[in-house]
Amino acid sequence: MNFEEQAGKSVLARAGVSVPQGRLCASAQEAETAARAIGPVVVKAQVPTGKRGKSGGVKLATTPEEAAAAAQAILGMEIGGFPVARVLVEEQAAIAREFYAAVLNDPASRSPLVLFSTEGGMDIEEVAATRPESLRRMAVDIRKGFGPADARRLLLGLDLGEAAVPVAAMLVDLYRVYRQHDAELLEINPLALLADGRVVPLDCKLTVDDAALYRQTDIAELGARETLSALEERGRALDLKFIELEGNVGVLANGAGLTMTTMDVVSHAGGRPANFLEIGGEAYTKGTEALDLVLSNPGVKSLVVNFCGAFARTDVMAGGVIQAWKTLNPTIPVFFSIHGTGEDEAVRMVREELGIEPYDRMEDAISAAVEAAR
Amino acid sequence: MIVRKSDRVLVQGITGKQGTFWTEQMQAYGTTVVGGVNPKKAGQSHCGVPIFATAKEAMANGGFDVSVMFIPPAAAKAAAIDAIEAGAKTVVCLTEHIPSHDVMEMHAAAAEHGTRIIGPNTAGIVTPGEGFVGIMPAFNPRVFQPGRVGVISRSGSLGTLVCLNLVRGGHGQSAFLGIGGDPMIGTTTKDALAALIDDPGTDAIALIGEIGGSMEEEAAELVAKTDKPVVSFIAGRASPPGKKMGHAGAIVTGDRGSYASKRGALERAGAVVVDVPGDLPAALDALMAEAAKRSGAQRLAD
């Protein structure tokens, strides 16, 4: 789950990390009122994506009137596909230097990774490519944690002067918040050294592990809702992994790997998949709901049902599909390929109850479905 | 990493519906199951084997080599660490959706105790004719037959399809290594490839990958060094851009991770990458014929 800047900063503030004073505003008038209370401000679009500055989604305002005008200009913009519904009106800080800091899950070391650079405010990929000497990284033993001594060791040799102490403290704080909230990524870019010596996060990007949301209920309500189509909302409510696509060949398979492969073969055969939908793992009993979902897309002209069951029993999945097919009685053609656990029973059921002969090779079933969708 | 008949297997969560079903399948196939774990039913027996309160107790009472976990996500960390601290050589972690911080704690404990974790989110490992550990249809003779092709797959369902295609094309398997679909897994594509390269029972390798991460690119370094033929299929070519990677995440993997990157790295290393899984057996036949010709020529030269 992604958190917009303001939501991420709320999480930091709740954990005792000081952040700039700011208010979330949904109108020019609200922005004006906020600026009147705060003073000179920066007005920032709140969308769960980067590149806001480059898209014109961040503006400085000295007076409340300027803040209103900035909010007016930014609200309603679309940035990275996200419509801007709210802006953060935040105090302007007297910035002395800008740094970069992040804590993230690192697949290579299978551990948390703390990153810091003296070059803030630009893409970290660019920093790694152009100023590698400014970038420090430390893999953390998750059972030992990351303390002040670790932070000092990470920063050793960087030209930070007096800022070394508050920067080290900030890194320890960021690691603590990352651990406390099951984050996959907590990135502060820029992390600012202010003229008065304080170190504060000017931006905040937070991603919390979806698998851990059950134990992060206190912050989950702050996270950004994904933009889903109506069908995708239905899929989510059913706890099914469903993604709506542009094509006309409906796909129903089990397991992420097999479902992706089914889409690949549809595409290789010259067709376009209408969706990603997998009912593997614990979802293998949801064949009925899944088929209903695929067929609710009016763009679907033919359907591939491709099962290769290991844990997911093909007889159970096929039973669900057959039941739904009989209830919905659709007019589009369907092409089956069924192998793995329970296949003899599944093939027999499809043959006897639907009068359809499953294909032995999935490539043949898919070619037939692509042909039928033309 | 390749499961053998001599490996003694402990089933954590043996008494649940899935634990029971798959324990019976493993036993019927010939896997040596020596016990199970369920703290509430310790002292009883299930599927003909004793139930222990913990993996440590199982180790103290007869021992085991491999543990397989039929454990829900919230309890997975404790179960894995119990098995690791008990001294398991290998932990096969089937569980999907374990919080990533828990997974990192499991990996840290495994590194300290020298335990190999396979998974999380794996469908398991199969050695046709010897045994299997996990939730693969090892018992289906159309999917698994003893043979000399080693198979590596992140996905259980796609791995099943590939093995089916191989058997149909006349190739049995020396081993199936399901490594799991999670982003932070204990046994990588490269680790599995190294095991198959070292295995005298394996003549050729089918490396089945997916978009995301950089495991296939890293494995390509070994593909370039081995004489064993490697065929590959990478799933996800037609997938829309999936989960957005954080910028800081992208720095760790650079620009690696796309279909094109993986296919390019494997092809440059000498693997044959096919467009559809049905083409794997023919690609394998061609490479193995070539390899046989090469080794024949080598023998003549000697």
Side-chain angles (χ1 to χ4, degrees):
Chain A
M1 172 176 264
N2 291 321
F3 288 65
E4 291 169 1
E5 176 192 4
Q6 170 57 23
K9 284 179 174 170
S10 296
V11 173
L12 289 176
R14 284 186 192 187
V17 180
S18 82
V19 298
Q21 185 193 356
R23 278 192 209 169
L24 204 53
C25 301
S27 70
Q29 199 182 344
E30 280 178 38
E32 187 177 338
T33 310
R36 208 171 292 286
I38 296 170
V41 290
V42 52
V43 180
K44 297 190 268 189
Q46 296 299 290
V47 279
T49 178
K51 314 248 188 283
R52 292 175 304 169
K54 286 170 198 156
S55 318
V58 178
K59 293 183 193 297
L60 292 172
T62 314
T63 64
E65 292 71 29
E66 281 176 28
Q72 188 70 43
I74 294 171
L75 287 165
M77 285 175 71
E78 196 178 281
I79 300 176
F82 296 93
V84 181
R86 291 177 305 180
V87 292
L88 175 62
V89 177
E90 192 175 72
E91 64 175 304
Q92 277 188 29
I95 301 165
R97 286 180 78 179
E98 293 190 347
F99 309 126
Y100 171 95
V103 190
L104 65 139
N105 292 355
D106 175 32
S109 63
R110 300 173 189 124
S111 69
L113 188 69
V114 179
L115 293 175
F116 179 82
S117 171
T118 50
E119 301 296 312
M122 54 173 165
D123 283 351
I124 194 63
E125 290 89 345
E126 201 183 322
V127 172
T130 59
R131 297 285 314 277
E133 74 288 352
S134 78
L135 183 62
R136 294 293 160 85
R137 45 168 74 203
M138 183 183 281
V140 178
D141 181 337
I142 192 165
R143 294 171 309 165
K144 295 203 179 89
F146 179 86
D150 300 306
R152 281 197 297 276
R153 198 151 49 83
L154 179 70
L155 299 174
L156 207 65
L158 290 175
D159 166 35
L160 288 171
E162 305 259 299
V165 174
V167 165
M170 176 60 72
L171 292 179
V172 171
D173 275 343
L174 294 177
Y175 183 82
R176 177 172 56 83
V177 174
Y178 157 89
R179 275 294 278 153
Q180 183 182 339
H181 290 301
D182 279 299
E184 290 176 348
L185 169 69
L186 176 57
E187 183 183 53
I188 308 297
N189 189 21
L191 177 69
L193 170 66
L194 301 186
D196 64 9
R198 284 183 300 148
V199 169
V200 293
L202 289 194
D203 197 357
C204 176
K205 193 168 170 187
L206 171 65
T207 307
V208 171
D209 183 1
D210 287 332
L213 286 178
Y214 74 89
R215 62 189 186 196
Q216 293 297 340
T217 46
D218 57 329
I219 60 161
E221 90 261 9
L222 297 172
R225 297 269 304 160
E226 266 179 86
T227 1
L228 299 177
S229 72
L231 282 181
E232 287 170 343
E233 286 286 2
R234 256 176 69 191
R236 169 163 296 194
L238 291 163
D239 215 4
L240 289 171
K241 293 175 195 163
F242 177 80
I243 301 167
E244 199 173 335
L245 303 169
E246 307 271 291
N248 57 10
V249 179
V251 170
L252 178 57
N254 67 282
L258 185 66
T259 311
M260 275 196 278
T261 301
T262 307
M263 288 166 49
D264 293 342
V265 178
V266 167
S267 168
H268 186 71
R272 289 176 308 135
N275 65 276
F276 173 100
L277 174 56
E278 73 114 333
I279 56 167
E282 302 289 344
Y284 78 87
T285 54
K286 295 183 185 170
T288 304
E289 295 89 333
L291 186 73
D292 191 15
L293 196 58
V294 174
L295 295 179
S296 296
N297 178 348
V300 172
K301 298 286 179 263
S302 70
L303 175 67
V304 181
V305 178
N306 188 17
F307 293 150
C308 225
F311 175 83
R313 286 171 49 186
T314 59
D315 52 336
V316 175
M317 294 189 286
V321 170
I322 290 166
Q323 194 193 335
W325 196 267
K326 285 179 168 172
T327 311
L328 300 167
N329 202 18
T331 53
I332 62 163
V334 55
F335 305 87
F336 287 86
S337 178
I338 299 173
H339 293 286
T341 313
E343 69 171 87
D344 289 340
E345 177 65 6
V347 166
R348 187 193 61 74
M349 283 158 60
V350 170
R351 194 181 282 148
E352 289 178 7
E353 298 194 37
L354 297 181
I356 293 171
E357 187 62 34
Y359 286 78
D360 187 34
R361 285 168 50 93
M362 73 173 251
E363 285 87 351
D364 295 336
I366 291 169
S367 294
V370 167
E371 194 52 45
R374 281 187 213 283
Chain B
M1 192 182 317
I2 298 171
V3 60
R4 299 297 178 198
K5 197 161 177 62
S6 56
D7 288 326
R8 298 162 302 163
V9 176
L10 179 73
V11 182
Q12 294 177 277
I14 192 171
T15 56
K17 191 174 153 215
Q18 296 299 343
T20 302
F21 177 79
W22 288 98
T23 299
E24 285 168 355
Q25 300 296 332
M26 287 190 273
Q27 288 172 321
Y29 194 69
T31 309
T32 309
V33 178
V34 294
V37 175
N38 177 342
K40 293 193 191 109
K41 296 187 178 169
Q44 302 176 20
S45 74
H46 191 72
C47 300
V49 296
I51 304 177
F52 301 98
T54 62
K56 292 184 189 81
E57 191 186 301
M59 190 58 86
N61 292 276
F64 68 94
D65 303 297
V66 178
S67 156
V68 57
M69 293 168 48
F70 290 86
I71 303 286
K77 178 179 86 174
I81 290 178
D82 176 28
I84 289 164
E85 289 178 350
K89 290 194 194 97
T90 303
V91 173
V92 178
C93 183
L94 310 174
T95 313
E96 186 178 6
H97 304 307
I98 305 174
S100 57
H101 287 212
D102 291 3
V103 171
M104 291 188 286
E105 287 189 59
M106 287 160 49
H107 288 316
E112 186 193 341
H113 288 86
T115 305
R116 167 172 300 288
I117 292 181
I118 299 182
N121 194 13
T122 173
I125 51 180
V126 184
T127 305
E130 283 206 54
F132 87 100
V133 178
I135 52 173
M136 289 295 290
F139 40 80
N140 185 326
R142 275 167 277 189
V143 180
F144 286 103
Q145 286 288 337
R148 304 197 58 85
V149 179
V151 181
I152 303 164
S153 176
R154 285 158 78 171
S155 154
S157 58
L158 179 54
T160 302
L161 175 78
V162 165
C163 289
L164 175 86
N165 278 312
L166 290 177
V167 167
R168 192 184 269 147
H171 296 284
Q173 304 92 359
S174 52
F176 171 84
L177 302 175
I179 58 173
D182 266 19
M184 286 187 285
I185 53 179
T187 300
T188 63
T189 308
K190 188 177 183 178
D191 298 336
L193 182 58
L196 292 175
I197 289 171
D198 283 347
D199 173 38
T202 298
D203 291 341
I205 293 148
L207 191 164
I208 310 305
E210 287 175 22
I211 51 169
S214 59
M215 288 200 304
E216 290 78 6
E217 287 88 334
E218 283 148 22
E221 295 160 20
L222 290 187
V223 173
K225 290 182 194 152
T226 181
D227 290 335
K228 294 187 181 181
V230 178
V231 294
S232 178
F233 172 76
I234 307 292
R237 188 181 201 171
S239 289
K243 273 190 177 173
K244 286 188 189 89
M245 300 279 184
H247 268 177
I251 190 181
V252 180
T253 51
D255 62 352
R256 294 161 148 201
S258 67
Y259 177 86
S261 158
K262 290 171 190 302
R263 183 168 185 154
L266 288 166
E267 285 182 338
R268 279 194 300 279
V272 171
V273 183
V274 299
D275 290 327
V276 297
D279 290 346
L280 284 168
L284 203 52
D285 288 339
L287 277 184
M288 288 175 87
E290 216 176 278
K293 211 186 289 173
R294 258 205 321 274
S295 75
Q298 185 63 42
R299 269 198 302 277
L300 281 179
D302 292 344

